[in-house]
Amino acid sequence: MKIKITVLYEICVCLSVLFLGYMFFQAENDFYIEDLSGGYEVLKNHSYETKQDADEPLGYKQVYRLRPEEIPDNCNGLVFQTIHQNVAVFINDTQVFHLRKNRESTVGKSPGCRLNTVPVTLENRGKEIRVEIAPVYASSADIVPVFYVGARFSIYMDIVKDDIISVLLSFLAGFLGIGFLVFSVLNCRNPKFDKNLFLLGQFSLFLGIWKATDTGLASMLTGHEAVVSYLPFIMLMLLVVPFTQYIRELFSGTDHWIWNVSCIGGIVVFAVSMGAQVLGIADLRETLWMNHLVMLLCISILFPMLYLEVHRVGWSNKLIAVAVSLCSCLIGFAADIILYYITDGAYLTDIGMIGFLVYIIIIGVMSLQDAKRLMSIGLKAEQFEKMAFHDQLTGMLNRAAYAEDTARTDFNSKDSVLVMFDLNDLKHCNDTYGHEKGDLYIKSGSALIRKVFGPFGKCYRMGGDEFCVLLKRKTEKECHDLIFRLKKEAEKWDLLNKETFSIQIAAGYAAYDSSVDYDIGDTLRRADKMMYMDKFAMKQERPA
């Protein structure tokens, strides 16, 4: 079930990318703007009234009137932020600015969240400015904007200063997420590596994107405010599954059915929300409450599972770290949710982000330490296995490896061909020139065998001067040709290497035959017998 959930989740991620790509090209706003320079002031004494307007999404709009005496003589621009609201600005009943969703765009209802800059020219100074704001959603109906007069650049820099902590936290989460993802990709082939660290990387990266797109900086850096406005909702929907799927691996009861509840709930909410968005039934902001419920369900599941884990195995440093990280997530999530519904989404704190970052750092460090330990154990195990199944002198597989390979349950003798080799006069080489030359003889002979037969099968040093090659689906004619090539390679070696000895390799082969062989051992003995016949023939051909 875990694998199925992971696959469904990755499909959700791909669909999110496709949706955002479609919005990038399709979701457009109607607005115009000019660059301004200078300082700015904040207008505080303005009033507004609500007027009915059947053309607006909720059937009404809020009209703000900025009196001439409120606006400084050196004002050259009006700046204010809107959150999912249509905007129209008039100077003495002449419309100078508007912002709303392009009617030809088929995606979404809202123009997003953005900072609006309205140029105030010299001839317009001293005139009344009327700002009409129509909420797209009921949740943004009571949001009263703050009006600045002055330069967009100065205002933006001030907003960046206000959001600097949020921006830094989002960059930290994104950096950690990318680090985990890269580390996971680089070690994906290691069987001892915890593949679930990839999920923690996704969670951290999506968390960083969520927070970054909820700051004023995001609306400044892009002309696609609608896309940026949908990003936080999509990122929130994508947080539940990797959060749950990763942390479940820290518990002994990873297969408990309750873990799947929040994961399946997150996927279902994603499907319903995206379906409603695409079909025009409801925007992602209007279905956000469902995602909040799933996140609450997720956290409510984690604490009972933590209790059961402590009851089952007792407290440990690992469980203490998990408990601390979960508490930080709960505190941050609760603070963000409460403030979101109190202010109708107009204001957010960094408490939730800090809580989740504590979780990422604690769990991430702990997971990297475990990964390092397991990879170290795996490396040592591989080294021990190599020592157990490889010949130290030649690097070939040894007799133990041959026994292991032929005793495997999936080994089939059918179509198997065994080729046996013997290095002639190895004892004479050792006795006459010393064991150093004898070792060179063995290494050189094994290298020739591996060069000719290695591409077609497994090569083993059976002990001393005897070698074996296990082939699959080779005819006797092909074996004969390979042996002929091997002997030619030995002759070339003798010509190129003016050693005190020459390499002579006797060989024999046999294909498994169920009519005469009880098992592969009988095939080996027949190949060995043919090899000794070749060895005898080579000695007879040697000049006296």
Side-chain angles (χ1 to χ4, degrees), residues 22-68:
Y22 177 77
M23 286 197 65
F24 182 84
F25 294 103
Q26 293 295 324
E28 298 179 354
N29 294 330
D30 289 330
F31 70 95
Y32 52 85
I33 198 167
E34 290 184 12
D35 288 330
L36 304 168
S37 60
Y40 73 93
E41 296 181 16
V42 179
L43 301 183
K44 299 180 179 179
N45 300 317
H46 52 267
S47 59
Y48 72 92
E49 60 180 328
T50 301
K51 290 188 175 182
Q52 301 299 315
D53 189 338
D55 292 332
E56 298 298 345
L58 299 184
Y60 65 90
K61 59 187 177 183
Q62 295 161 338
V63 181
Y64 297 82
R65 298 183 183 277
L66 308 181
R67 297 187 300 275

Side-chain angles (χ1 to χ4, degrees), residues 118-410:
V118 182
V120 179
T121 60
L122 183 63
E123 60 269 20
N124 287 327
R125 292 176 184 174
K127 299 179 182 179
E128 181 185 75
I129 299 177
R130 185 173 82 252
V131 181
E132 298 180 354
I133 297 178
V136 176
Y137 308 115
S139 57
S140 57
D142 298 325
I143 297 176
V144 178
V146 176
F147 293 100
Y148 304 84
V149 287
R152 182 176 66 167
F153 179 80
S154 300
I155 297 169
Y156 280 5
M157 289 302 99
D158 195 62
I159 291 175
V160 169
K161 292 177 184 178
D162 292 339
D163 288 341
I164 190 66
I165 295 178
S166 298
V167 171
L168 292 177
L169 291 175
S170 64
F171 274 105
L172 176 59
F175 175 78
L176 291 173
I178 293 173
F180 289 138
L181 291 174
V182 171
F183 186 72
S184 300
V185 171
L186 293 178
N187 293 277
C188 64
R189 295 183 180 275
N190 191 324
K192 301 297 182 181
F193 179 71
D194 183 10
K195 306 299 189 297
N196 290 294
L197 198 61
F198 186 84
L199 293 172
L200 184 62
Q202 283 185 308
F203 173 79
S204 183
L205 179 61
F206 294 159
L207 185 71
I209 295 175
W210 163 67
K211 192 62 179 179
T213 51
D214 249 355
T215 63
L217 180 64
S219 63
M220 300 179 203
L221 298 179
T222 177
H224 293 269
E225 296 83 4
V227 178
V228 173
S229 297
Y230 281 100
L231 265 172
F233 306 125
I234 293 177
M235 293 301 105
L236 278 177
M237 290 192 294
L238 295 177
L239 290 179
V240 174
V241 174
F243 179 81
T244 305
Q245 286 286 76
Y246 184 77
I247 206 166
R248 75 188 293 179
E249 297 299 325
L250 303 178
F251 291 78
S252 58
T254 59
D255 294 326
H256 198 290
W257 62 269
I258 200 169
W259 292 113
N260 300 326
V261 174
S262 60
C263 292
I264 294 174
I267 293 173
V268 170
V269 166
F270 177 89
V272 171
S273 299
M274 292 299 290
Q277 174 68 59
V278 172
L279 296 175
I281 299 174
D283 269 15
L284 294 182
R285 181 182 176 90
E286 296 172 304
T287 57
L288 183 60
W289 62 271
M290 294 191 295
N291 195 64
H292 287 159
L293 285 180
V294 172
M295 295 177 73
L296 182 62
L297 174 64
C298 174
I299 294 180
S300 66
I301 286 174
L302 293 176
F303 283 95
M305 294 305 293
L306 178 63
Y307 173 80
L308 292 177
E309 186 75 4
V310 173
H311 183 73
R312 184 184 298 115
V313 301
W315 283 105
S316 64
N317 291 336
K318 179 179 179 180
L319 280 181
I320 292 174
V322 172
V324 170
S325 61
L326 288 181
C327 287
S328 70
C329 289
L330 178 62
I331 293 171
F333 174 74
D336 269 2
I337 290 297
I338 292 172
L339 185 61
Y340 178 86
Y341 285 104
I342 289 177
T343 64
D344 287 326
Y347 302 100
L348 292 174
T349 69
D350 294 318
I351 299 176
M353 187 67 179
I354 293 173
F356 282 114
L357 271 176
V358 170
Y359 159 79
I360 292 170
I361 293 172
I362 292 177
I363 299 300
V365 170
M366 185 172 63
S367 299
L368 288 175
Q369 289 175 340
D370 288 344
K372 181 179 178 181
R373 178 178 57 83
L374 290 174
M375 290 167 68
S376 177
I377 294 173
L379 180 61
K380 291 180 180 178
E382 289 178 5
Q383 292 173 342
F384 289 141
E385 183 180 4
K386 185 174 182 179
M387 292 174 62
F389 292 105
H390 286 78
D391 175 58
Q392 298 302 302
L393 180 62
T394 64
M396 274 187 173
L397 295 169
N398 59 18
R399 181 182 286 274
Y402 172 81
E404 177 81 9
D405 290 341
T406 55
R408 292 167 59 95
T409 56
D410 59 348

